[in-house]
Amino acid sequence: MLDQEMTNKIADGNGFIAALDQSGGSTPKALKGYGVEEDAWTTEEEMFGLIHAMRSRIITSPAFTGDKVLGAILFERTMDGQAGGKPVPQALIERGVVPFIKIDKGLEDEANGVQLMKPMPELDALLKRAKALGVYGTKERSVINLANREGIAAIVKQQFQIGQQVLAAGLMPIIEPEVNIKSPERAEADQILLEEIVKNLDALPGDDKVMLKLSLPAKSGLFDPLVDHPRVLRVVALSGGFKRPEACVELAKNRGIIASFSRALLEDLRHQMSDDEFNASLGGAIDEIYNASTAKTPVAA
């Protein structure tokens, strides 16, 4: 796929984006969910080898194709690894799946009710390497815990600044200011976030476009203005801690938003499964998330 083919697929395709980007801190939890206990490794390298084996199994599964999976977000080590004897981005592209990479290096301590991203001093080099490997876009995550306008404005400003750096490198940024779904001020935070994102979208130079990855809003349909905004290529949603059935129900209530689920995609997969069991389980999860991304539930005004 050429860049324009990837853009068309992400902008207009029916399907969702798989998030396969758990990094160092979240890897043990992801492995435990996969049925691999912490005594299965003794070094970080062994741990990352186990998570890479899981991701390779997913990527090479006959259920994991571009028919329903539009894209996949990778951890840096996964991008640099192989699946089925091929570099992972190439393996994805050959299956019709658009590769993205997670670029953030984790979160700062909370201030003003939010957690900004840590500095990324080596980002330009990473972007150059990703582009050379055929990666189409990036994803960077920060977290909103409270409806603090100053904090949310700072999060969105930082996200768009990094987004400009990504665009300058010839890649498509997925901007992810996640609202904590357990926040006592979730609905208010959603509203402030919407307003701040629109301000920054309206200020984008030239004809630049970005993607948005957002928590499913407390009020269904709240993010319709973002779905319709001319500077947004696509809006995707994280599961944010919802189990897959609940995440899919909430997603289906939001027009134009597709999934970019991680835990909700992987929650039923186990290391101990036979290949047939694994592929059937993964295929069932893909079908469920695809349906919630493409067949929407009318919501009363």
Side-chain angles (χ1 to χ4, degrees):
M1 285 187 286
L2 302 173
D3 276 4
Q4 190 57 52
E5 290 178 88
M6 293 191 200
T7 297
N8 294 344
K9 180 160 193 135
I10 294 299
D12 302 319
N14 286 326
F16 67 95
I17 295 174
L20 307 176
D21 60 328
Q22 301 91 347
S23 53
S26 56
T27 297
K29 187 174 181 181
L31 282 170
K32 186 175 179 66
Y34 186 48
V36 180
E37 298 296 334
E38 289 196 34
D39 61 5
W41 69 86
T42 54
T43 67
E44 189 176 80
E45 284 303 312
E46 289 175 349
M47 178 188 76
F48 281 120
L50 289 166
I51 198 76
H52 185 77
M54 181 190 85
R55 291 169 178 153
S56 296
R57 195 178 186 190
I58 292 165
I59 289 166
T60 58
S61 168
F64 196 87
T65 72
D67 292 341
K68 293 181 178 177
V69 183
L70 301 178
I73 303 169
L74 307 171
F75 177 48
E76 184 177 345
R77 283 174 177 254
T78 310
M79 177 188 78
D80 290 332
Q82 295 206 336
K86 298 174 182 175
V88 169
Q90 180 188 337
L92 287 170
I93 289 168
E94 288 181 6
R95 299 174 81 83
V97 178
V98 177
F100 293 80
I101 179 176
K102 165 190 159 72
I103 57 171
D104 67 83
K105 301 301 179 185
L107 302 170
E108 299 278 19
D109 292 337
E110 183 176 323
N112 290 329
V114 305
Q115 290 176 273
L116 293 163
M117 294 178 284
K118 289 181 177 177
M120 304 175 216
E122 299 172 2
L123 179 56
D124 283 334
L126 174 58
L127 296 175
K128 186 174 181 180
R129 200 168 86 248
K131 182 74 173 172
L133 286 167
V135 170
Y136 172 74
T138 65
K139 189 212 78 164
E140 65 259 15
R141 172 180 173 263
S142 41
V143 174
I144 297 164
N145 292 312
L146 296 171
N148 180 306
R149 186 172 289 273
E150 182 181 350
I152 294 173
I155 277 232
V156 176
K157 180 180 179 182
Q158 183 193 41
Q159 284 276 355
F160 274 80
Q161 285 174 340
I162 297 296
Q164 289 285 341
Q165 194 173 347
V166 171
L167 286 163
L171 295 162
M172 171 59 62
I174 300 178
I175 287 168
E176 184 186 10
E178 174 185 346
V179 174
N180 184 342
I181 63 166
K182 296 179 180 176
S183 168
E185 302 173 355
R186 180 179 160 207
E188 297 89 341
D190 287 344
Q191 182 61 43
I192 296 170
L193 178 61
L194 170 64
E195 293 164 7
E196 293 298 325
I197 290 176
V198 169
K199 281 183 202 173
N200 282 268
L201 287 171
D202 290 344
L204 280 173
D207 55 0
D208 286 345
K209 290 188 176 186
V210 300
M211 293 175 64
L212 301 171
K213 182 168 179 175
L214 306 172
S215 302
L216 290 160
K219 179 185 176 185
S220 300
L222 180 72
F223 295 144
D224 284 358
L226 303 177
V227 172
D228 297 332
H229 199 288
R231 296 306 186 88
V232 176
L233 185 71
R234 201 85 193 245
V235 181
V236 304
L238 58 134
S239 52
F242 286 129
K243 292 285 190 181
R244 185 169 65 247
E246 188 177 3
C248 287
V249 167
E250 292 302 311
L251 176 62
K253 296 176 185 175
N254 288 276
R255 172 182 67 80
I257 300 180
I258 63 173
S260 178
F261 292 171
S262 174
R263 279 170 291 180
L265 171 64
L266 310 177
E267 63 190 33
D268 295 334
L269 302 179
R270 298 293 180 272
H271 168 69
Q272 297 83 354
M273 287 176 165
S274 69
D275 285 346
D276 285 347
E277 290 169 333
F278 183 91
N279 294 334
S281 181
L282 178 60
I286 286 171
D287 287 347
E288 192 175 345
I289 297 168
Y290 173 87
N291 289 337
S293 296
T294 57
K296 296 301 183 176
T297 305
V299 177

